[in-house]
Amino acid sequence: MAKYNSFEEMQVYRKALKFATETYLLANKNGFIAKDFGLKDQLQRAALSISNNIAEGFERETIKEMIRSLYIAKGSAGECRNMFNFFNEMPYLSQDEFKFYKSELYAVSGQLGNYIKYLKNLEKQNKISRKTENN
């Protein structure tokens, strides 16, 4: 976490926020989604939840809390991916739209996974260095 001064500096946060913005626009312009208020609300909440959880975890200022929040963000990305799979089955989206949103979600999810691995490794190194300091 020392790598960043604020969550706004994080590439994964910026990508997740961009995804949420694009998803909000889609939900308002796509007639099928816009008319189904429950589906629209669920999609918008899940999409915004990704960047919200990244921000929340960062502000908690511990590696453990950040990792926990990143897992929640990753879960929200999975929820969005499922919703886009559903939209594709209905079909509510063109194939180009479907491919675009799925690729964005895979990118965000992959970045979240990589950052989780980085933080777990950092946490592990900190535990090892604390043990050696105590001996």
Side-chain angles (χ1 to χ4, degrees):
M1 289 194 9
K3 189 175 177 180
Y4 300 103
N5 294 314
S6 71
F7 61 83
E8 290 94 345
E9 294 176 5
M10 299 171 66
Q11 181 183 14
V12 68
Y13 167 80
R14 290 192 309 267
K15 188 147 186 78
L17 186 62
K18 184 175 187 262
F19 172 77
T21 303
E22 291 167 347
T23 301
Y24 262 73
L25 294 172
L26 173 73
N28 287 314
K29 77 173 184 177
N30 181 298
F32 296 111
I33 299 169
K35 290 177 187 174
D36 187 332
F37 298 113
L39 192 62
K40 177 183 172 184
D41 181 61
Q42 185 70 23
L43 175 64
Q44 290 175 327
R45 286 174 181 265
L48 189 56
S49 177
I50 301 168
S51 59
N52 279 345
N53 279 291
I54 295 167
E56 181 178 348
F58 187 92
E59 291 298 323
R60 294 197 180 233
E61 298 183 1
T62 68
I63 293 173
K64 184 176 181 176
E65 286 291 326
M66 184 67 187
I67 292 169
R68 181 181 174 279
S69 293
L70 291 174
Y71 274 123
I72 294 169
K74 200 165 174 9
S76 293
E79 182 179 354
C80 287
R81 221 166 62 231
N82 178 63
M83 294 184 80
F84 279 98
N85 287 337
F86 173 76
F87 297 154
N88 190 50
E89 291 293 317
M90 287 306 287
Y92 285 178
L93 302 174
S94 71
Q95 280 303 300
D96 287 342
E97 287 174 314
F98 175 68
K99 288 177 184 175
F100 170 77
Y101 286 98
K102 287 280 291 235
S103 71
E104 291 294 301
L105 283 163
Y106 277 120
V108 168
S109 192
Q111 287 179 351
L112 288 167
N114 288 337
Y115 197 52
I116 289 167
K117 287 177 193 171
Y118 166 79
L119 290 174
K120 282 184 166 186
N121 190 37
L122 189 63
E123 186 178 48
K124 186 176 169 182
Q125 289 173 359
N126 286 343
K127 285 179 184 176
I128 291 169
S129 65
R130 279 192 299 250
K131 282 183 181 179
T132 54
E133 287 173 5
N134 292 333
N135 290 332

